Each structure stands twice: as C-alpha cells, then as structure tokens.
Amino acid sequence: MKAEKNKLPSLSTCLSPSLLHLYDVSSSIVVIIDILRATSTIATALYNGAKSIIPVDSVAECIKLGKQMDVITAGERDGKIADGLKYGNTPLQYQPEFIKGKTLVLTTTNGTRLLHMALAEGAQGIITGSFCNLSAVCDYLAVQKKNVILACAAWKDRVNIEDTLFAGAVISRIKNNFHQNCDASQIAETLYHQASNDLFAFMRDKNASHYLRLMGYGLAEDIKFCLTTDNANILVVYESGRLLLR
Amino acid sequence: MKAEKNKLPSLSTCLSPSLLHLYDVSSSIVVIIDILRATSTIATALYNGAKSIIPVDSVAECIKLGKQMDVITAGERDGKIADGLKYGNTPLQYQPEFIKGKTLVLTTTNGTRLLHMALAEGAQGIITGSFCNLSAVCDYLAVQKKNVILACAAWKDRVNIEDTLFAGAVISRIKNNFHQNCDASQIAETLYHQASNDLFAFMRDKNASHYLRLMGYGLAEDIKFCLTTDNANILVVYESGRLLLR
C-alpha cells in the first residue's frame, strides 16, 4: 500500500509567489491561481471565443504589443484599470460579442507575474485555474500522472483566502490520485470545507481583504461570478507565450 | 464605530519566515511561534527555573558559547540533536532538577533563525509563543496597545499546521483588542476552530508533516506536551540577546 502510494505523483500547494522557490517547479505542472480576477477572466475570455491570451508582466509591454498587433489590451494595477489601457480585469466584460476571435493581451498585479515565475523555473506545464473552470482543471490534472503545484498568486505576495479556497477545492476533488505531504494543502482543504456551502458568504464573513477591496469598487457581481463553479468550464494551457483553450 | 476600530492596533499573521518582509516589523511586537518544538521548550525551561536562554543561529556558535561560559548547550537540526551538542529540543528534558538556575544556549532549525530575522528588522518587541504559555502571551498582547505580528517559524520556510494553529488560537482569544485586515489570520483562526477540540487528533488526521516526522522519532509525548495549553504559562521576552521570564 505504501509502495503504491509512493508511486503516485505529488500534489502541493504554494500559498504565495514568495514561497515558490521552496517547490520543485521543474518536475511539476503548475496551476496558476488568481481567482480575483485574472484566472477567472482568462477562462471566461477563452470560453467566450477569444483566440488566445498573451499574458505580459508590465503595462508598458501591454501597450507596446497593442501598437504592434491587432489585439485587445487590458490590465489592472491594484484592482483598477491600468493607466494607458482601455479594458480591465472584469470577466463580465469579455462576452462573446466583444471577444470572439480576438487576441487579448493581459497584464495583472499578481497572476501574470506568477505565471512568468513558473515559466522561468522550468515548469513542465502551466495551466490556469479558477472556480469558473474547476472541473476542467481537475479532470485534466487527475490523469496526467505528473506532480502538481497549486500556485496561489496571492495579493502582492500576501496569502489570500480566495486563492487558498480554490486550491482546497481542487485538493478535495482529486487528492486520491496523488501523494500528499504538504501542510499548506491540508490547510487549504480544511478552509474549503468550511466555505464550500457559500463561498461568497464566507469571503464576506471573514472580511477577506480582496473582497473588501473589490466591494469598495462596486464589483460584487464580479466576485460572485469568480466564485461560481464551472461557468466557463474549459481547460486553459500556456504554450509558446500564449494561453489557449485546449 | 469605524473610527474607533481604526484606532486599535493591528494584528497580522505571517505564515512563513519567507513572508516576513511583507510586514511592518519595525512598528510591531513580533511573536515567534515554533510549536514543535523550540518555543515550547523555551517556555518550559524558563517555567522550570532556567535563568535565561540564549538563542543562537548556528551549532558552531552554540558550541563556542558552551566553551566560554558555564551553560547548557542544546539544539537540533532536522528534528534531531545536532552533532557536537549534548541536549536536544525536547521540552520534557528541561525539568527543574536539570535546568533550575542554569543558562541554556539553544539553536534550532527554524525558530531561532526567525527570531534573529525579527531582530534585524527592528521589531519593537519580541516574545515567544507556544500552547504551553498561550494565556500569558494573550494576556500580555491584549493590553500593549501595539501592533502585533504572529510570526510562524514554519519548517524550512514551508507553512506548517501547528504554528498556524497557534496563531489561530491567539487570534480567537484577543481579536477584539485589534484591528484585523489579514487573510492569513482569518485562515489561521478558521483552522484553529476546526482543530481546537483535540489538537493532537487534528494533527494526526491531517498527516501534519512535522507530526509524521516526530512520530517517526518516537516523540508522541513531545507532541502531546507541545499541544497542551498553559502547562508552562509564563511570559517569555527577548531582551539584550537573551530570552527571559517576565
């Protein structure tokens, strides 16, 4: 039984980009998690027909690509549309009539940076995860027979509730396919079981910092959308500089 | 009401030494938390009459001080007595007949390093916390009217369950004396409420990594002792290079 367990790939949770160096990224598939709102927006835009999404680290790079290519440029800093960009990071904006067939260049505070960190560390594969595509993420990971790191984008490296909850949701669904030796995963799963009945209410009752920030901008509908399971249930993979539906 | 809340000092939780740079250490009292087992051993040794404890970063420094002074040198690396040192990091060893009136020089894998990080960052005050002295820690923090950072030593920078649980225990007791805007604190408190009925059983059921490690060394009694509330209920402060009972 033990030997069999040891044959299983490992499943770990990294609660902040500042902790990524502790994990064996180069032997793992890394799931980028930025629930509010980058990875929710990414899933939604691709689900609604975007051709691809180019994640970039800086606003300047975003603007530059916008001038060179026929793309939509979007991004936020500190939860608001970044200066010089026209579109933000609200998934509700990326409806089919707006995004279908288009390429989106996106920069966000936390998620795109983490993606490039995982890339620099030589991740075997990179996908993005959000409640919007939870089932697709889980179905994919469960059968890869590869180590998985659930990598939370956090908020400026501070651990946050919503990314941790998503890690917990994934763990609760697919843990039997993996070997686990990660306290952070146990913490995430315990948190998720406390919250799963009503994620929005949990975020509200716990005064989640990003909940308060986005509510302050009047974005309750964004939060609710980002906490809804499988409303854009497609698999998003990172390949050759682009996020694509697969 | 809001204005009144803003006057309260802040209470935050730092889940790993790798995240300490995100916190405003220089305006805060830092509580060093290394439940298994440094801060439990520290509380116990002082409770049982140790004159003071000198925490040092390296085994070499520990041995050097042992040659220069009439002290007991102790320390562990990876959960075992370090080469060149005679005593380890088990609180049960530091009974009155052994430790009374003595000075202990202690080096541990995680806790002493974090203490020196907090010191280097200019913490306003440093105390150590463990379930063994939970009430003394809470009673002290509640009346200081200063910002507090609950700083988990973790395991080689990886977030662990037991230090997070202790942070949650402190938060659940004294949160009304503070302003909170810290998701990690909410996560810690939620975890603690799930575990508080039987901390040992929680650690076992969650396969906590340090639980498994110490059980592998046959140290179940150590774990139980370190998860017992107020069995060495004194306040431990760091002053001029030494940990002292106050």
Side-chain angles (χ1 to χ4, degrees):
Chain A
M1 188 62 194
K2 202 171 178 188
E4 212 168 85
K5 256 208 157 175
N6 285 340
K7 276 187 206 165
L8 293 173
S10 73
L11 176 62
S12 308
T13 301
C14 174
L15 294 175
S16 160
S18 269
L19 302 172
L20 191 65
H21 64 282
L22 302 170
Y23 296 81
D24 190 2
V25 173
S26 67
S27 77
S28 305
I29 297 171
V30 177
V31 184
I32 306 296
I33 303 166
D34 189 359
I35 298 302
L36 294 176
R37 294 164 291 162
T39 55
S40 303
T41 296
I42 288 163
T44 305
L46 288 169
Y47 179 80
N48 284 337
K51 206 162 90 184
S52 72
I53 297 170
I54 304 174
V56 297
D57 281 333
S58 69
V59 174
E61 176 76 5
C62 201
I63 293 171
K64 188 178 135 197
L65 286 182
K67 286 177 184 164
Q68 293 171 352
M69 303 159 66
D70 178 24
V71 294
I72 293 171
T73 56
E76 46 96 345
R77 285 295 177 273
D78 297 331
K80 290 184 283 193
I81 294 178
D83 287 343
L85 297 177
K86 200 167 166 193
Y87 300 100
N89 193 19
T90 170
L92 298 171
Q93 189 162 40
Y94 297 92
Q95 297 301 316
E97 54 272 25
F98 174 60
I99 198 65
K100 199 169 181 188
K102 304 266 177 61
T103 294
L104 177 65
V105 181
L106 182 69
T107 181
T108 63
T109 311
N110 305 291
T112 48
R113 184 172 72 93
L114 177 59
L115 189 152
H116 288 120
M117 287 172 71
L119 192 65
E121 295 288 325
Q124 286 205 3
I126 297 176
I127 68 171
T128 66
S130 68
F131 286 104
C132 302
N133 64 337
L134 172 61
S135 293
V137 167
C138 291
D139 292 347
Y140 174 76
L141 295 176
V143 298
Q144 296 304 305
K145 301 192 193 317
K146 286 192 178 162
N147 299 331
V148 169
I149 298 168
L150 303 171
C152 300
W155 179 261
K156 297 181 180 178
D157 287 329
R158 284 208 188 204
V159 174
N160 74 27
I161 291 177
E162 64 275 16
D163 295 346
T164 307
L165 283 175
F166 179 77
V170 173
I171 294 159
S172 74
R173 288 197 181 197
I174 64 171
K175 62 183 173 184
N176 290 336
N177 297 68
F178 293 88
H179 169 71
Q180 282 200 97
N181 179 22
C182 174
D183 282 19
S185 288
Q186 298 286 355
I187 291 170
E189 192 189 1
T190 302
L191 194 76
Y192 175 68
H193 285 310
Q194 287 306 299
S196 59
N197 270 349
D198 188 339
L199 296 172
F200 185 86
F202 186 83
M203 293 281 286
R204 180 192 65 215
D205 296 346
K206 298 297 177 192
N207 290 313
S209 55
H210 213 121
Y211 170 91
L212 296 176
R213 192 177 299 116
L214 294 181
M215 290 299 280
Y217 303 150
L219 293 170
E221 292 310 311
D222 263 40
I223 302 172
K224 285 179 186 165
F225 185 88
C226 294
L227 297 177
T228 303
T229 297
D230 291 348
N231 48 3
N233 195 27
I234 44 105
L235 180 68
V236 180
V237 300
Y238 182 80
E239 278 175 12
S240 310
R242 289 170 188 246
L243 292 159
L244 305 163
L245 188 158
R246 187 154 117 187
Chain B
M1 187 65 194
K2 202 170 179 191
E4 210 168 86
K5 258 209 156 175
N6 286 340
K7 276 186 205 165
L8 293 172
S10 72
L11 177 60
S12 308
T13 301
C14 173
L15 294 174
S16 160
S18 269
L19 301 173
L20 192 65
H21 64 282
L22 303 171
Y23 296 81
D24 190 3
V25 173
S26 67
S27 77
S28 306
I29 297 172
V30 177
V31 184
I32 307 294
I33 303 166
D34 188 0
I35 299 302
L36 295 176
R37 294 161 293 160
T39 54
S40 304
T41 296
I42 288 164
T44 305
L46 288 169
Y47 178 82
N48 285 337
K51 207 162 89 182
S52 71
I53 298 169
I54 304 174
V56 297
D57 281 333
S58 70
V59 174
E61 176 76 4
C62 200
I63 294 170
K64 188 178 136 197
L65 286 181
K67 286 178 182 161
Q68 293 171 353
M69 305 159 67
D70 178 23
V71 294
I72 293 172
T73 56
E76 46 95 345
R77 284 295 176 274
D78 296 331
K80 291 184 283 196
I81 296 177
D83 286 343
L85 298 177
K86 203 169 165 191
Y87 300 100
N89 193 18
T90 170
L92 298 170
Q93 189 162 41
Y94 297 93
Q95 298 301 315
E97 53 274 24
F98 174 60
I99 198 65
K100 199 170 181 186
K102 305 267 178 62
T103 295
L104 176 65
V105 181
L106 182 68
T107 181
T108 63
T109 311
N110 304 291
T112 48
R113 184 172 72 92
L114 176 59
L115 190 151
H116 288 120
M117 286 171 69
L119 192 65
E121 295 289 324
Q124 286 206 3
I126 297 176
I127 69 172
T128 66
S130 68
F131 287 102
C132 302
N133 65 336
L134 173 62
S135 293
V137 167
C138 291
D139 293 348
Y140 174 76
L141 295 176
V143 298
Q144 297 305 303
K145 301 192 194 314
K146 286 190 177 163
N147 298 332
V148 170
I149 298 168
L150 302 171
C152 301
W155 180 260
K156 298 182 180 177
D157 288 329
R158 282 207 190 203
V159 174
N160 73 28
I161 290 177
E162 63 275 16
D163 295 346
T164 307
L165 283 175
F166 179 76
V170 173
I171 293 158
S172 74
R173 287 196 182 198
I174 64 170
K175 63 182 173 185
N176 291 337
N177 297 69
F178 293 88
H179 168 71
Q180 282 200 97
N181 179 21
C182 174
D183 281 20
S185 289
Q186 298 286 355
I187 291 170
E189 193 189 2
T190 302
L191 194 77
Y192 175 68
H193 285 309
Q194 287 306 298
S196 58
N197 268 351
D198 188 338
L199 296 173
F200 185 86
F202 186 83
M203 293 280 285
R204 180 192 65 215
D205 296 346
K206 298 297 176 191
N207 290 312
S209 54
H210 213 123
Y211 170 91
L212 296 176
R213 193 176 298 115
L214 294 180
M215 289 299 279
Y217 302 151
L219 292 170
E221 292 309 310
D222 263 40
I223 301 173
K224 284 177 187 165
F225 185 88
C226 293
L227 298 177
T228 304
T229 297
D230 291 348
N231 49 2
N233 195 27
I234 44 106
L235 181 68
V236 180
V237 299
Y238 182 80
E239 278 175 12
S240 310
R242 288 170 189 250
L243 292 159
L244 306 162
L245 188 156
R246 185 154 118 191

